[in-house]
Amino acid sequence: MSHLYQISENLRGLASIDAEDEGMALAIRDTMQAVQGEFDEKAKAVASVILNMDSDAEAIQAEIDRLTARKKAITNRQEGIKSYLRENMEACGISKISHPLFSITLAKGREVAIIDNPSIIPDELTYVKTDIRPEKTEILRLLKEGKEVPGAHIERSQSSIRIK
């Protein structure tokens, strides 16, 4: 069986032939129908591969979700055990434990500013985050209405394949 691109080249080649007599035109049309049938079969095979990849991608995503949940559970458990150790070291006044393979040190926490009421913080101690981006939906609507929008124009995006 030919490759899809080869079948496409054959179809384009046949479509570009300008048949002068009726017999030749009939032969070209019959050949194009045969090639179109081959194209359809190849396209169906390609679509089957795509659908199989969809199920593979879904299975991989399910495994990623499962492993992510497992990682989160392990990380939470680890943090809980660290907190348990820290609380008990603090309660006993122990700041360092040595072991041949590792050492455990209870480090003093760093100082952090806690904001009790952000609305009364002076302006010079705040910053404003600004997000500037074009309103693409509104720009498209205006362009479709025939209005000119400086710095913008309409283009058709790449065609897509839908397999249902």
Side-chain angles (χ1 to χ4, degrees):
M1 186 176 247
S2 300
H3 294 282
L4 192 59
Y5 73 90
Q6 292 169 328
I7 299 169
S8 295
E9 287 175 6
N10 291 343
L11 275 174
R12 283 194 303 269
L14 288 169
S16 69
I17 296 174
D18 188 23
E20 294 179 7
D21 67 359
E22 195 171 311
M24 182 68 158
L26 184 61
I28 290 172
R29 190 180 71 227
D30 289 345
T31 305
M32 283 186 74
Q33 286 176 347
V35 173
Q36 180 67 46
E38 187 179 357
F39 183 93
D40 291 351
E41 289 304 311
K42 192 66 170 184
K44 290 173 188 175
V46 169
S48 294
V49 169
I50 291 169
L51 291 174
N52 284 337
M53 288 177 165
D54 278 347
S55 63
D56 288 348
E58 288 172 11
I60 290 168
Q61 187 59 52
E63 187 64 10
I64 288 170
D65 294 344
R66 184 188 71 79
L67 290 172
T68 300
R70 181 159 185 219
K71 177 185 174 188
K72 184 176 181 182
I74 290 170
T75 302
N76 288 343
R77 177 97 169 113
Q78 180 186 38
E79 289 303 316
I81 293 170
K82 278 183 183 178
S83 180
Y84 170 75
L85 178 60
R86 179 186 46 78
E87 289 168 5
N88 283 285
M89 286 179 72
E90 284 174 348
C92 294
I94 299 171
S95 61
K96 186 166 182 151
I97 300 171
S98 295
H99 184 275
L101 299 177
F102 55 84
S103 64
I104 305 167
T105 305
L106 182 63
K108 193 185 274 189
R110 59 186 172 100
E111 294 179 336
V112 293
I114 305 299
I115 308 301
D116 299 315
N117 188 347
S119 62
I120 60 174
I121 300 289
D123 287 344
E124 63 271 5
L125 297 175
T126 62
Y127 69 93
V128 177
K129 182 178 178 183
T130 305
D131 188 15
I132 300 173
R133 59 183 160 195
E135 291 284 345
K136 287 186 173 184
T137 306
E138 182 64 17
I139 292 169
L140 179 60
R141 185 185 66 75
L142 291 171
L143 289 170
K144 282 184 174 181
E145 290 176 0
K147 297 180 180 163
E148 190 173 320
V149 177
H153 69 281
I154 294 178
E155 281 187 9
R156 180 146 322 265
S157 64
Q158 184 177 9
S159 60
S160 63
I161 298 292
R162 291 187 189 103
I163 303 170
K164 295 182 180 182

